[in-house]
Amino acid sequence: MITLPGLIDVHTHLRVPGGEHKEDFATATAAALAGGITMVLGMPNTSPPLSTPSRLTAAMAMAERDARCDVGLFAAAEPGQLHHLPTLAETAVALKIYLNDTFGRLRVDKMPDLATCFRDWPRHKLIAMHAEKQSVAVGIGLAATYNRSVHFCHISRAEEIDLIADAKGRGLPVTCEVTPHHLFLNEADATRLGALGDMRPLLGTQKDVDALWAHINDTIDCIATDHAPHTLAEKRADNPPPGVAGLETSLPLILTAVSQNRLTLDRLITLMHDNPRRIYSLPEQPETAVDIEMRPSIIRNSDMHSKCGWTPFDGMDAAARVMRVTLRGDIVFENGRVLAEKGSGRVGM
Ligand code: DOR
Ligand code: ZN
Ligand code: ZN
């Protein structure tokens, strides 16, 4: 048995409003607890997106009603709505800017809009970016120009992690996260899995995967799930949406890597708790812990608490299982069962 602090996932798609058939605050936070995660930061590419104060406030109210673990929400940078940024910053945990196309339509590609984000978003709150390929260079350029921190979501390519390593080497204020799917799956898995292995960024080559692992102890700041649930029916239909679930498989997979000496348990805690908390200035969760049993266990769709009910890791061996999660002194998950009530999580960071 080992005990960890409550983990923090800084990249979760909670799907409220507009995607409640895929996931909602009650089911996503149940999945989080089952995965040893006691705080999630929710992405704003909902329908409609969280780019206005009224939408953000309404989503926060739904989270307060339903969440079983602690939740912060990102504000969305949406062209045409950027005058709301200062008001959004009063409640949002951070700002999310999409520089590339993905699920939802939030791409910001006009320089004046990017400049507005960097000028008007308060400096004490972070800017996170979905940036792929050369867009990473755009983000680094903005961080340098405005001398403020930028956090890069789900970095997946060798050239991207190398560029961020060089930027950090020059002292630029950038941080980044990687996902378990980009650490454990490659383009051969994408072919095998079809739509169930399709997400943005796409799965990389084995060379990309190796480059991420080579930077696990230096350039990479966080492991984040990019939990992006879609229903199996949506994935099997024409034009399936990109995205895969990840809240319940992240910790078992990273602990498997620990058991194979690919990283230390201390490094896991840095990547999944300490750095997320420091980078996003998140509150401490007292009397909060995750008890783990290091025993082989197979990842199964049927064990998932996420509403989507599937994982791209179905059938894979993991070296550990979450046995019990305690949040602020209450046992909220034990022996496969989520015990936390809806509305028991704290909302707003
Ligand atoms: O695969 C993805 N799915 N990547 C994203 O950036 C968005 C996400 C989603 O919301 O489904
Ligand atoms: Zn993204
Ligand atoms: Zn995402």
Side-chain angles (χ1 to χ4, degrees):
M1 289 285 274
I2 53 177
T3 299
L4 300 173
L7 301 182
I8 302 172
D9 183 29
V10 298
H11 192 141
T12 312
H13 294 269
L14 297 155
R15 302 300 191 208
V16 178
E20 291 87 348
H21 61 291
K22 303 172 194 276
E23 196 77 285
D24 59 37
F25 287 114
T27 54
T29 53
L33 292 174
I37 293 164
T38 52
M39 189 185 293
V40 296
L41 302 188
M43 284 295 158
N45 64 332
T46 48
S47 324
L50 305 183
S51 54
T52 72
S54 60
R55 291 176 196 165
L56 181 62
T57 311
M60 301 276 277
M62 293 301 287
E64 259 161 34
R65 194 191 71 179
D66 288 346
R68 303 177 201 268
C69 74
D70 295 358
V71 175
L73 294 177
F74 282 85
E78 184 179 18
Q81 305 287 0
L82 299 178
H83 53 286
H84 291 304
L85 290 177
T87 316
L88 288 167
E90 289 166 18
T91 20
V93 69
L95 178 68
K96 178 74 182 283
I97 305 178
Y98 288 86
L99 292 187
N100 303 92
D101 285 321
T102 179
F103 185 66
R105 276 190 298 272
L106 277 174
R107 189 156 68 102
V108 182
D109 58 2
K110 301 243 182 333
M111 267 308 297
D113 284 341
L114 290 171
T116 299
C117 292
F118 276 75
R119 289 195 191 114
D120 291 358
W121 187 251
R123 298 190 79 84
H124 68 279
K125 293 218 172 171
L126 195 63
I127 294 178
M129 281 189 176
H130 178 125
E132 300 184 38
K133 301 179 183 162
Q134 56 269 49
S135 297
V136 176
V138 173
I140 293 171
L142 288 163
T145 305
Y146 291 93
N147 188 27
R148 60 177 300 169
S149 301
V150 169
H151 177 76
F152 290 100
C153 300
H154 47 47
I155 287 301
S156 65
R157 295 294 186 273
E159 63 266 27
E160 296 167 356
I161 199 70
D162 288 344
L163 187 68
I164 291 173
D166 287 348
K168 287 185 169 202
R170 289 189 161 270
L172 295 174
V174 295
T175 55
C176 71
E177 70 195 28
V178 297
T179 71
H181 47 267
H182 292 115
L183 287 169
F184 287 91
L185 302 175
N186 63 24
E187 56 188 9
D189 296 298
T191 306
R192 171 178 61 85
L193 290 162
L196 301 188
D198 179 37
M199 74 293 287
R200 300 294 173 277
L202 294 168
L203 295 174
T205 64
Q206 189 55 42
K207 182 176 148 281
D208 292 320
V209 175
D210 292 343
L212 297 181
W213 280 108
H215 284 280
I216 201 80
N217 288 320
D218 46 41
T219 314
I220 294 166
D221 297 284
C222 308
I223 290 172
T225 68
D226 197 5
H227 177 81
H230 297 286
T231 66
L232 273 177
E234 290 167 330
K235 282 292 202 180
R236 286 174 180 149
D238 292 342
N239 295 318
V244 298
L247 284 168
E248 297 170 75
T249 47
S250 180
L251 179 57
L253 287 169
I254 304 300
L255 282 167
T256 305
V258 169
S259 77
Q260 297 162 345
N261 298 317
R262 304 179 85 181
L263 76 166
T264 65
L265 197 56
D266 274 353
R267 187 64 188 162
L268 180 154
I269 294 168
T270 303
L271 292 166
M272 301 179 83
H273 174 269
D274 301 352
N275 284 348
R277 198 171 145 235
R278 178 177 52 81
I279 289 168
Y280 282 94
S281 307
L282 302 171
E284 217 172 326
Q285 294 178 303
E287 290 180 75
T288 297
V290 179
D291 296 319
I292 306 288
E293 190 181 29
M294 293 303 287
R295 187 201 312 160
S297 122
I298 297 174
I299 296 173
R300 297 254 181 243
N301 285 344
S302 53
D303 290 335
M304 298 296 124
H305 294 77
S306 167
K307 201 182 277 188
C308 76
W310 65 275
T311 157
F313 302 105
D314 181 52
M316 263 179 72
D317 292 320
R321 276 203 310 174
V322 177
M323 297 306 292
R324 182 186 306 109
V325 180
T326 310
L327 175 55
R328 281 184 286 275
D330 292 328
I331 296 177
V332 287
F333 175 85
E334 196 168 35
N335 299 327
R337 289 190 51 223
V338 175
L339 305 173
E341 298 289 346
K342 280 163 66 161
S344 57
R346 290 200 184 157
V347 178
M349 299 297 150

